Amino acid sequence: MRSWLYVPGNSPGKMINAGVYGADGIVFDLEDAVPVESKDEARLLTVEMLSSVDFGYASIAVRINAVDTPWWREDLSALAPLIRSGRLQAIRLPKVEHVETVLQVIDALAALKKAAAQPPAPAHVPAPDPDPDPDKYAPIQPQVQLQILLETPLGIEQAFNIAAASKRISALCFGAEDYCSMTGIDRRGPAYALDYPRSRIVSAAAAVGIEAYDTVWGAYRDAEGLKADASRARILGFMGKSVIHPDQIDPVNTIFSRTEKEIAWAESVLSAAGAAAGEPEIESGSARGVGGPDTANTLPDRGAFAVNGMMVDAPVLARAKRILMEAAVDKATKR
Amino acid sequence: MTELLPLKHQNASPLQMQSSSAPESISPEIISSWDQLFSRISIRSGMRISFHHHLRMGDQVVGLVLKAIAERGITGLIFCASSVMGPACEAVAEALRAGTIRSIETTGVKEPLSSMILRGEIDEPVVFRTHGGRARAIRTGELPIDIAFIAASAADHEGNLNGTDGKSRFGSLGYALVDVEYAGQVVAVTDNLTPEPLTYISIPGSRVNAVMIVDSIGDNQGIGGGSLRATASPIHRIIASRTRDLLLALGAVREQWSFQAGSGAVSLMVTHMIAAVMRERGIRGSFASGGITTVLTDLLEEGLFRDLWDVQSFDLTAAESLRRSPHHHEMSAGLYADPGVAGNIARKLDVMILSAAEVDANFNVNSLTGTNGRIIGALGGAPDTAAGSKLTIAVLPAVRGRIPTLHRQVRTVCTPGRNVDIVVTERGIALNPLRMDLEKLLADAEPELRRGLIPINTLIEKVHAVTGNPDYPSRDGRTVGIVEYRDGTVIDTISASAENC
């Protein structure tokens, strides 16, 4: 996922169009973008929109309010039908600093699942169910994922522990504004100023096999600043970036897509590996080899080999396979 | 009784006027007071007076003239303009209330006229004509103009006029050229009488009866206003980029191609994007036409279009280019789009990008009224160029303010669907079944583009699934507007509807 577009949950005009811009994912926001007096309205509107509007190929997430606010439980309750139906792929948790926060939310989801699995207590005279929806009492599907927003120095320092807290966590996301505010870093300063928290997040995510998404670039008219910020994040290993304006999607998608040069290199590695393993040569320009025989596992037995003067061993082969897989996903989702 | 000016053109036929460019040519009288002007021209109830709208949002001439006429107690005139917008609309509304004018003929209106029309406050239906249709009607005598009031940014003592010199310069006088050619009397209104002869002449003094000097004809900063939309939203950018990709996939952007885009935000953005492609690939087109902007004059200067045919200049750079470039041509509305003029530019166009307010299942385009019935736009030259162009693409956001723009049937038919080949929205691209040859051309297009192709009915359903089915206002009121197709036939009507005001 290269780009996640934040859309305020109380802005129907923006929500209606959210699926047409080409973002890989959409995050409907119930948190910071929504003023306190509009929390209820945004919750209802988001559920209604997600129930009725086709957002195309985009994955859907909702950023709920933080667990130290009075709204997050209501947010989860309102989203339960969408979780149950599979309409909502992820919940983004803001301002996470402790493992306990993640567990608290998982417990809440489990409670909702349990409540939904049980029909209401019968009345004195059992009445026929007026709602024929067969899924009404179905359990909440387990596939809703959690995306964890790390926005504070404490959250950054706890990155690995938090990432490892649950299998439901699919991504760590960086939130730089609060982090900069607390550390005194100038967000509009040199991009390398955020190398430490970014690297820490990427490393923690990679350690447990999940994705890492970079923070937003708030100056949405500053296209050059966005490119520099996104490029730095890409170099440091992020898979994608959150954006706050549709105009930021194309540049971010471009920066986080695999380049033709990378793809050509990966294909040459896979091709050479196939030849080394006695398999047919991989066709140029295709992503064949991805999902094929696991040459990464067989190669160590055969030893390393060279491609264009560079040594290829199992980690390099794995990287080549990952590049081709990502390129294939980029191509399939390009729109 | 007014004393008639001994004008050489007084009540003359166009033929007589042409033959009167004789050696004994009399210079038009230079007049500096309205009293003097109205003592020298023939004006009476029932006459048709005409104006151009080249100053667009900055025009003050309509207001000055109507006020002067009203002060002299003249009533019952027919107001015939190439269009009316900005402060001119308020002036016309006032003249209607006072009875100075009794009916309107135009290509479009803005508030407060729009609401007056819908409320039925004008006795006679407003006649909406295309730019080409108006030129045709004037040429054929169907629309005889008694007095043409011509705002000019410069006039000399021989009555020669242009719109390219002076502090109020606005560029082309294209719409006015037809009026001048066929009007019984021609009164120039200018704020710039030059002591020396004009070196660039749009309208020769031989066709001008009087030159009225005023303090100001208007604010030329307003020529980029009105329907012209310079800013674009992300949705507009998506539509524009898809249109660009479509044109490239169809092979339309090629050597010697010709191109026109409307004044809407998406159309202007398409022009920007196409310009970038032409620049990058070194493609040299033959001509661009219609309303001219800096984007097009830049392409002219770079040699990427050989000629510009300018019926209306949309910014001061375009006005300056018209003044000095031998390949930037001032074009009359007749040459632009009159279907009876052989070799009209509309017929020579390869590609026309048309901004639409609504499109329906039959590809009919409405550019005049909103879904709610309000009059929001104009016919302009779109029906003319769509009919003439080899490829016409209608561009529009599928949703505006949560209201769908695609319908089973448009509120008002302005451009018939048979002349619209493709509709491009942010939610899909629909090919007119009459042009399935285009689908073959797109067989090898990028998968991303092909994925966007969708039957028009499916596209409509898709949009309505998002917005809900619209609740259309009634059309039960009396007819308050007549929409004329370019050939003079009535293509649709507009009904009174107080709820839409």
Side-chain angles (χ1 to χ4, degrees):
Chain A
M1 304 292 286
R2 300 161 299 177
S3 53
W4 284 93
L5 174 66
Y6 274 114
V7 180
N10 63 340
S11 179
K14 290 176 182 169
M15 296 167 90
I16 277 180
N17 288 324
V20 305
Y21 300 116
D24 290 344
I26 303 168
V27 185
F28 293 96
D29 191 14
L30 301 178
E31 197 216 9
D32 284 352
V34 179
V36 170
E37 64 273 17
S38 301
K39 293 291 185 190
D40 291 342
E41 170 196 333
R43 198 179 293 124
L44 291 170
L45 189 58
T46 297
V47 171
E48 177 60 29
M49 282 284 178
L50 290 182
S51 304
S52 59
V53 175
D54 177 9
F55 294 102
Y57 298 96
S59 294
I60 304 295
V62 172
R63 179 164 76 168
I64 64 171
N65 288 283
V67 295
D68 61 353
T69 70
W71 305 295
W72 72 277
R73 285 188 187 278
E74 283 183 81
D75 292 344
L76 280 186
S77 296
L79 295 173
L82 299 170
I83 297 170
R84 190 164 62 230
S85 67
R87 185 77 180 98
L88 183 62
Q89 280 89 55
I91 291 169
R92 190 170 278 203
L93 300 182
K95 297 183 178 66
V96 177
E97 293 183 319
H98 306 284
V99 169
E100 291 72 21
T101 304
V102 177
L103 300 178
Q104 196 176 356
V105 172
I106 289 174
D107 284 349
L109 285 170
L112 286 170
K113 178 181 174 183
K114 188 176 177 185
Q118 294 176 349
H124 294 298
V125 180
D129 189 345
D131 186 349
D133 178 6
D135 293 333
K136 183 173 179 182
Y137 303 123
I140 291 177
Q141 298 300 310
Q143 66 265 32
V144 70
Q145 298 171 331
L146 297 180
Q147 297 181 349
I148 305 298
L149 256 171
L150 303 175
E151 307 177 72
T152 64
L154 182 54
I156 297 295
E157 296 305 325
Q158 289 292 323
F160 173 74
N161 291 334
I162 292 170
S166 168
K167 296 281 186 195
R168 289 186 96 158
I169 297 174
S170 61
L172 296 184
C173 311
F174 184 31
E177 298 301 330
D178 286 340
Y179 181 85
C180 286
S181 165
M182 295 173 77
T183 56
I185 292 174
D186 178 6
R187 179 70 179 98
R188 306 288 171 259
Y192 62 74
L194 291 174
D195 280 3
Y196 171 72
R198 279 173 162 155
S199 295
R200 182 116 193 192
I201 287 174
V202 169
S203 185
V208 295
I210 62 175
E211 300 198 333
Y213 300 124
D214 190 39
T215 183
V216 300
W217 179 251
Y220 63 88
R221 292 187 192 283
D222 176 12
E224 292 308 310
L226 170 72
K227 286 178 188 172
D229 198 57
S231 297
R232 192 75 183 184
R234 167 74 199 277
I235 288 168
L236 292 171
F238 281 92
M239 296 285 292
K241 186 175 180 69
S242 297
V243 299
I244 57 164
H245 192 279
D247 285 350
Q248 296 180 322
I249 294 169
D250 276 351
V252 164
N253 280 353
T254 300
I255 286 168
F256 286 96
S257 292
R258 291 298 182 181
T259 65
E260 288 180 10
K261 190 177 172 185
E262 288 175 307
I263 294 167
W265 171 82
E267 284 177 342
S268 69
V269 168
L270 266 288
S271 179
E279 293 169 1
E281 192 169 338
I282 292 169
E283 286 178 14
S284 174
S286 79
R288 280 181 58 196
V290 175
D294 191 355
T295 47
N297 291 333
T298 59
L299 198 68
D301 296 337
R302 298 171 185 268
F305 60 95
V307 173
N308 296 328
M310 180 181 171
M311 187 191 79
V312 176
D313 55 10
V316 174
L317 193 59
R319 186 156 68 90
K321 291 178 75 176
R322 178 175 165 168
I323 286 171
L324 290 183
M325 189 161 62
E326 288 174 9
V329 171
D330 289 349
K331 190 175 179 183
T333 57
K334 190 180 177 189
R335 49 194 180 271
Chain B
M1 181 176 175
T2 55
E3 180 189 348
L4 297 186
L5 186 72
L7 299 174
K8 57 187 182 295
H9 312 314
Q10 184 76 48
N11 295 323
S13 71
L15 189 61
Q16 288 169 321
M17 290 176 73
Q18 285 168 4
S19 64
S20 68
S21 54
E24 71 276 14
S25 178
I26 304 166
S27 297
E29 191 167 354
I30 308 299
I31 293 171
S32 56
S33 83
W34 294 106
D35 280 340
Q36 192 183 4
L37 176 68
F38 284 99
S39 72
R40 302 304 179 88
I41 62 172
S42 172
I43 182 167
R44 59 181 177 273
S45 178
M47 279 187 163
R48 178 179 279 107
I49 59 174
S50 82
F51 297 85
H52 67 71
H53 73 293
H54 288 290
L55 275 157
R56 297 175 68 84
M57 298 298 282
D59 183 274
Q60 290 180 15
V61 168
V62 169
L64 289 171
V65 171
L66 291 180
K67 180 169 179 283
I69 292 172
E71 286 169 355
R72 279 147 191 86
I74 299 162
T75 58
L77 298 171
I78 303 167
F79 177 85
C80 175
S82 52
S83 194
V84 55
M85 55 180 64
C89 287
E90 185 57 57
V92 173
E94 182 58 37
L96 281 164
R97 286 190 281 265
T100 309
I101 59 179
R102 70 162 201 256
S103 64
I104 300 173
E105 298 163 335
T106 180
T107 197
V109 296
K110 302 286 185 191
E111 291 295 351
L113 283 177
S114 313
S115 292
M116 283 185 76
I117 294 167
L118 290 175
R119 284 195 297 260
E121 292 177 13
I122 305 173
D123 290 340
E124 297 180 26
V126 173
V127 180
F128 293 93
R129 290 190 176 90
T130 73
H131 289 319
R134 181 176 186 271
R136 177 202 54 76
I138 293 172
R139 175 180 55 78
T140 59
E142 183 185 315
L143 195 64
I145 293 172
D146 295 294
I147 310 172
F149 290 95
I150 308 297
S153 65
D156 64 21
H157 285 268
E158 303 306 313
N160 298 311
L161 311 175
N162 72 33
T164 54
D165 290 320
K167 65 178 183 183
S168 306
R169 60 190 178 280
F170 50 80
S172 174
L173 272 162
Y175 295 126
L177 295 178
V178 180
D179 300 38
V180 166
E181 188 173 354
Y182 293 97
Q185 305 166 79
V186 174
V187 176
V189 182
T190 188
D191 53 9
N192 177 35
L193 183 68
T194 63
E196 302 295 329
L198 294 178
T199 55
Y200 179 83
I201 297 171
S202 300
I203 296 171
S206 60
R207 311 212 68 83
V208 179
N209 299 107
V211 177
M212 175 72 197
I213 311 296
V214 298
D215 291 338
S216 173
I217 61 169
D219 176 7
N220 62 4
Q221 295 301 314
I223 65 174
S227 58
L228 190 62
R229 300 270 301 279
T231 57
S233 71
I235 290 287
H236 293 153
R237 267 188 278 280
I238 289 173
I239 301 167
S241 64
R242 285 186 179 173
T243 307
R244 173 202 56 201
D245 295 346
L246 195 58
L247 287 172
L248 294 175
L250 289 168
V253 185
R254 60 179 186 270
E255 286 294 313
Q256 297 305 309
W257 78 307
S258 55
F259 168 75
Q260 181 172 325
S263 59
V266 180
S267 297
L268 291 174
M269 180 142 285
V270 171
T271 305
H272 274 277
M273 292 180 174
I274 289 297
V277 171
M278 292 178 73
R279 224 169 254 131
E280 184 185 320
R281 303 186 183 181
I283 297 170
R284 294 172 186 276
S286 57
F287 72 86
S289 58
I292 301 298
T293 61
T294 302
V295 184
L296 292 174
T297 59
D298 285 348
L299 289 175
L300 179 70
E301 287 187 12
E302 293 169 42
L304 296 174
F305 273 117
R306 189 186 62 228
D307 293 284
L308 297 183
W309 291 95
D310 186 343
V311 73
Q312 180 174 26
S313 309
F314 278 144
D315 58 46
L316 294 178
T317 306
E320 174 60 23
S321 168
L322 177 63
R323 174 77 173 74
R324 62 180 164 73
S325 170
H327 290 283
H328 186 162
H329 313 288
E330 193 163 14
M331 168 175 68
S332 77
L335 177 59
Y336 171 38
D338 179 346
V341 171
N344 67 73
I345 289 292
R347 198 179 292 167
K348 294 177 185 298
L349 274 169
D350 288 327
V351 174
M352 172 64 195
I353 307 297
L354 186 161
S355 297
E358 291 183 324
V359 172
D360 70 18
N362 293 314
F363 289 78
N364 294 313
V365 166
N366 170 18
S367 54
L368 188 57
T369 58
T371 304
N372 57 8
R374 293 182 68 84
I375 301 170
I376 56 170
L379 296 178
D384 304 307
T385 45
S389 175
K390 294 180 185 66
L391 176 69
T392 298
I393 301 178
V395 292
L396 75 169
V399 181
R400 280 197 187 96
R402 288 183 276 158
I403 296 172
T405 60
L406 302 174
H407 307 280
R408 297 281 165 218
Q409 189 174 0
V410 291
R411 176 84 184 179
T412 309
V413 177
C414 299
T415 300
R418 65 176 180 272
N419 293 335
V420 179
D421 303 312
I422 306 175
V423 174
V424 180
T425 76
E426 77 281 12
R427 292 172 192 273
I429 299 168
L431 302 183
N432 191 327
L434 297 174
R435 292 298 310 269
M436 292 320 279
D437 55 311
L438 298 174
E439 190 173 35
K440 290 177 187 163
L441 291 174
L442 292 172
D444 296 327
E446 286 286 319
E448 182 184 359
L449 184 65
R450 286 196 55 79
R451 269 201 297 266
L453 298 176
I454 181 172
I456 187 78
N457 284 314
T458 310
L459 181 57
I460 292 169
E461 286 167 11
K462 189 175 170 184
V463 174
H464 288 198
V466 172
T467 62
N469 289 321
D471 195 10
Y472 299 104
S474 69
R475 300 188 55 155
D476 298 337
R478 75 172 176 86
T479 298
V480 293
I482 293 170
V483 184
E484 257 192 31
Y485 190 52
R486 61 196 308 243
D487 60 4
T489 57
V490 174
I491 193 169
D492 211 335
T493 59
I494 296 172
S495 305
S497 176
E499 65 192 277
N500 296 323
C501 303

